Amino acid sequence: MSEQKAIEGFIDEVIEEPGAEGVTDGVSEEREQAAGAAVGAEAGVGQEPVPPAVRAARASRPLRGALRWAAALAVFAVFGASTAYGVTRLERTDVPGLATAPDGRWDYPELVRPPLPAGRPAPFASSNKATAHYADLRALVLPAPRGATADKTLAVSHGWVRTGTFLDEYPLKDDRELLGGVFRDRGLRHIAARGWTTPDGTRTRIYLLQFDTGLVAGEVQQEEFAGYDHAPRTLRGAPTTELDGQFPDSWQLPNVTHYAYDEPRPYGAEQVRQAYLLAGDVIALVVQSRKGGAHALPFQQTVALQAELLG
C-alpha cells in the first residue's frame, strides 16, 4: 500500500501545473453557481449564463484524468523497463543452475561462442533455413570445469571422434548396428566430443552429432533418441531408465529441446544420467555416471550450459 501511495503521489506531482489552483477554484465556483441556480429556480428567478471560467474548469476535468492515466502508464513503463534491464544484467552466479556455488555445482569457465565464418548466419537466424551451426562444432562442446581431469579416450588433438567411439556408449549390438546404418543413410557429417572426471569421481561425456540440416537431425532425434517415459536406447551401465522428473522445465531454451533420463534405484556399481539435446542440425548426448550415485545438480547444470552454447 505504501508503494501504491508513493506512485500516486508521484503521479500528482507529474501532472501538477501552474494555475492548477485556479482550476480547483473554478470547480468550486461552478458548484456555487449551480446551487444558486437551483435556489433561483425555486424562487422563479431565471438562471444565469455559465461563466467562461466554469466552462474551462469543466473542459479541464477529462484532460486532467487523461494526464493522470498517462503519468501512471509512464511510471509503470519505467518500472517494467528497469526490471527487464535488471534481469538482463544478472551475473552467471544469479541464474539458477548456471551458478557456481557451494551447493554441488561445478566451477565452469565463462562460456564463449566461437566466431561465425564471414557471411554465415547464426543457427537460428531467419535467413538460416537449414538451422545449421556454421561455427566450428568442436568449439561448441562444453569445456570441462576447473579441477577436472580430461578423458583420454575423448581427448584427441583434432577434436573429432570416430562414429564407433560414440556407438560404444551402447552395449547392445543391435543398437550399434541400427544406429550405424541410420547415420550412414542420414548423412552424419562428424562428431565432436569431450569428456572429463571431477575429483568426486563423476565421469562426464559429451558428444555433438552434426547432420546436413535441422530437419534431418530432428527426424533422427524423434525416431532414435526420444522416449516418452524412458530412453529408447540402452546406455552402458544403465539397463533401465526413467524420465528425469527433477529437471527444471524453466531451463528449456527457445531453440533447444532436451530429453533427460535417470537410472532409477536399485542401480549397479554406478548411476548413469543422460540427456539428448536437439539444436538445429546438432544432436547432443550428455552422459554422467558416478559410483554410489550421480548427483542431479551438476548434471542439470552441465546440460543447461551445453544447451546455452548450442542455442
Side-chain angles (χ1 to χ4, degrees):
M1 293 298 293
S2 60
E3 294 178 357
Q4 181 178 354
K5 291 180 180 179
I7 292 175
E8 291 175 353
F10 176 76
I11 294 172
D12 289 337
E13 293 178 4
V14 170
I15 64 173
E16 185 175 358
E17 298 176 348
E21 294 181 358
V23 173
T24 304
D25 293 342
V27 174
S28 300
E29 184 178 351
E30 178 187 6
R31 291 174 179 171
E32 292 175 0
Q33 291 288 343
V39 172
E42 292 179 356
V45 180
Q47 296 183 359
E48 296 286 338
V50 179
V54 175
R55 291 197 300 270
R58 290 176 178 174
S60 68
R61 290 165 64 186
L63 176 61
R64 181 179 174 82
L67 288 173
R68 287 179 65 88
W69 277 108
L73 291 175
V75 170
F76 286 111
V78 171
F79 176 77
S82 63
T83 301
Y85 179 77
V87 171
T88 58
R89 292 286 297 175
L90 285 176
E91 300 296 333
R92 259 175 73 94
T93 53
D94 297 326
V95 182
L98 306 184
T100 299
D103 58 0
R105 281 174 268 195
W106 291 344
D107 185 9
Y108 279 100
E110 182 179 358
L111 300 186
V112 179
R113 289 191 180 94
L116 290 167
R120 293 293 190 177
F124 301 103
S126 58
S127 59
N128 192 341
K129 304 304 181 183
T131 59
H133 287 78
Y134 290 109
D136 190 335
L137 189 67
R138 296 167 292 183
L140 290 174
V141 184
L142 183 67
R146 295 179 176 89
T149 303
D151 187 335
K152 294 181 179 180
T153 63
L154 300 179
V156 292
S157 58
H158 49 73
W160 306 114
V161 295
R162 297 180 298 105
T163 303
T165 302
F166 173 78
L167 294 177
D168 284 342
E169 292 285 350
Y170 302 90
L172 300 180
K173 181 179 178 181
D174 289 346
D175 282 345
R176 294 195 302 271
E177 291 180 349
L178 186 147
L179 290 175
V182 169
F183 293 161
R184 288 191 298 271
D185 295 341
R186 297 301 184 92
L188 174 65
R189 297 177 58 192
H190 38 231
I191 303 175
R194 177 173 289 121
W196 62 81
T197 302
T198 50
D200 68 347
T202 302
R203 183 188 173 201
T204 301
R205 288 97 69 202
I206 299 177
Y207 301 89
L208 303 187
L209 289 72
Q210 190 170 38
F211 295 83
D212 284 335
T213 66
L215 177 63
V216 174
E219 292 175 349
V220 174
Q221 167 74 15
Q222 288 299 315
E223 295 171 4
E224 308 300 337
F225 300 121
Y228 176 72
D229 55 358
H230 66 277
R233 304 291 173 197
T234 302
L235 285 183
R236 292 191 181 277
T240 60
T241 56
E242 63 183 9
L243 197 65
D244 187 355
Q246 299 182 27
F247 204 97
D249 291 336
S250 60
W251 295 357
Q252 179 71 59
L253 297 180
N255 298 312
V256 184
T257 57
H258 69 259
Y259 303 81
Y261 306 99
D262 186 15
E263 181 186 3
R265 292 179 181 271
Y267 38 79
E270 291 185 327
Q271 181 188 18
V272 178
R273 295 180 182 272
Q274 57 186 288
Y276 291 93
L277 305 176
L278 174 64
D281 62 341
V282 174
I283 297 175
L285 171 62
V286 179
V287 184
Q288 280 189 0
S289 57
R290 179 177 179 270
K291 184 178 180 180
H295 299 303
L297 193 55
F299 172 71
Q300 296 165 1
Q301 180 193 17
T302 301
V303 173
L305 289 176
Q306 182 58 74
E308 183 180 344
L309 271 175
L310 291 174

